[in-house]
């Protein structure tokens, strides 16, 4: 099992891996109880994502590793009784990613590149930057759009608005590695992840006791 764990900012950590290995981990009893009420098609990704998140919590905020997780009115996951520790989970295909922010709201998104990307979708998500990507090969179009989308989606996840926050309207220049949107900073982990993966976090933060952490665990 190979999992990438990286510190994206002083108090923000991201982990990404594959669904299968994390699905085989012993699930937290609270998570199993929630999963029992979900449609069968969602159970695997739900439990794998929660297992990876709890693993990251054990490494960064160990006192919260077993805290029950609930969803707010917009579906954003929260640690019950601890609004100061931000958490986020993302799935796409067999890829999963999670983020933890100590004293910060966080959002994370992982996206597998689409094999075909129409010009209309590039115009919708890239706006004035679409013309820079349209001439690329079909493969490169899909990869670049996936990187941009992960940054856009991570921002609205951190803000707690989801798709109602119109992520496609957030200006993310193709090829960029970081930027700012309102009160949030976003980072695309281009030098650390082969699969498009970005995180976003609130600019205000509190000091953290956790040390820097970056490793590949097998």
């Amino acid at each position: 099992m190979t999992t990438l764990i990286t510190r994206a900012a002083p108090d923000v950590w991201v982990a990404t891996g594959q669904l299968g290995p994390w699905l085989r981990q012993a699930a937290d009893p609270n998570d199993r109880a929630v999963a029992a009420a979900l449609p069968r098609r969602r159970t695997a990704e739900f439990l794998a994502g929660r297992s990876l998140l709890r693993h990251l919590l054990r490494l960064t905020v160990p006192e919260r590793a077993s805290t029950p997780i609930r969803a707010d009115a917009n579906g954003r996951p929260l640690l019950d009784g601890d609004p100061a520790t931000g958490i986020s989970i993302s799935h796409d295909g067999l890829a999963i990613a999670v983020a933890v922010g100590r004293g910060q709201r966080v959002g994370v998104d992982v996206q597998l590149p689409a094999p075909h990307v129409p010009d209309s979708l590039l115009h919708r998500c890239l706006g004035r930057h679409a013309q820079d990507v349209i001439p690329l090969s079909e493969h490169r179009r899909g990869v670049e759009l996936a990187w941009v989308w992960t940054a856009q989606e991570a921002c609205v996840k951190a803000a707690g608005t989801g798709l109602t926050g119109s992520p496609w309207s957030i200006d993310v220049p193709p090829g960029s590695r970081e930027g700012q949107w309102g009160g949030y900073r976003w980072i695309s982990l281009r030098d650390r992840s082969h699969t498009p993966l970005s995180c976003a976090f609130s600019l205000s933060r509190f000091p953290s006791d956790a040390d820097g952490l970056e490793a590949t665990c097998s």
Side-chain angles (χ1 to χ4, degrees):
M1 173 172 58
T2 300
T3 300
L4 172 69
I5 301 170
T6 185
R7 187 175 72 167
D11 284 320
V12 177
W13 300 267
V14 175
T16 184
Q18 292 291 300
L19 182 147
W22 288 101
L23 183 59
R24 292 192 288 272
Q25 300 299 301
D28 180 272
N30 293 303
D31 298 336
R32 283 202 306 271
V34 175
L38 295 176
R40 177 178 286 251
R41 60 182 175 79
R42 288 195 55 209
T43 301
E45 66 179 26
F46 174 87
L47 289 175
R50 290 293 182 90
S51 291
L52 180 55
L53 175 61
R54 292 196 183 279
H55 176 70
L56 186 58
L57 285 168
R58 283 193 292 272
L59 295 175
T60 58
V61 194
E63 66 274 18
R64 297 302 185 197
S66 298
T67 300
I69 298 171
R70 61 179 179 83
D72 68 10
N74 294 319
R76 176 173 54 181
L78 301 171
L79 291 176
D80 196 21
D82 183 15
T85 300
I87 57 174
S88 184
I89 307 172
S90 178
H91 323 84
D92 191 35
L94 298 180
I96 54 176
V98 300
V100 171
R102 186 142 191 169
Q104 292 170 266
R105 301 177 87 173
V106 296
V108 70
D109 196 65
V110 63
Q111 182 76 35
L112 301 176
H116 172 67
V117 179
D119 290 359
S120 58
L121 185 57
L122 291 176
H123 281 291
R124 179 173 176 80
C125 294
L126 303 184
R128 61 190 176 91
H129 305 294
Q131 294 302 324
D132 297 331
V133 176
I134 287 175
L136 301 179
S137 68
E138 195 70 59
H139 172 71
R140 287 303 308 163
R141 284 158 61 112
V143 170
E144 201 52 53
L145 177 60
W147 277 110
V148 169
W149 179 254
T150 60
Q152 294 171 327
E153 182 73 1
C155 285
V156 295
K157 282 186 173 183
T161 58
L163 292 178
T164 62
S166 302
W168 49 85
S169 67
I170 298 173
D171 185 43
V172 177
S176 56
R177 295 173 179 267
E178 61 181 287
Q180 186 174 330
W181 173 70
Y184 297 88
R185 180 186 175 198
W186 58 265
I187 295 177
S188 290
L189 303 175
R190 289 175 178 260
D191 58 344
R192 290 176 257 186
S193 175
H194 294 298
T195 304
L197 170 68
S198 299
C199 69
F201 49 91
S202 53
L203 293 172
S204 59
R205 63 183 179 86
F206 300 97
S208 171
D209 297 329
D211 295 328
L213 176 66
E214 181 152 1
T216 299
C217 308
S218 299

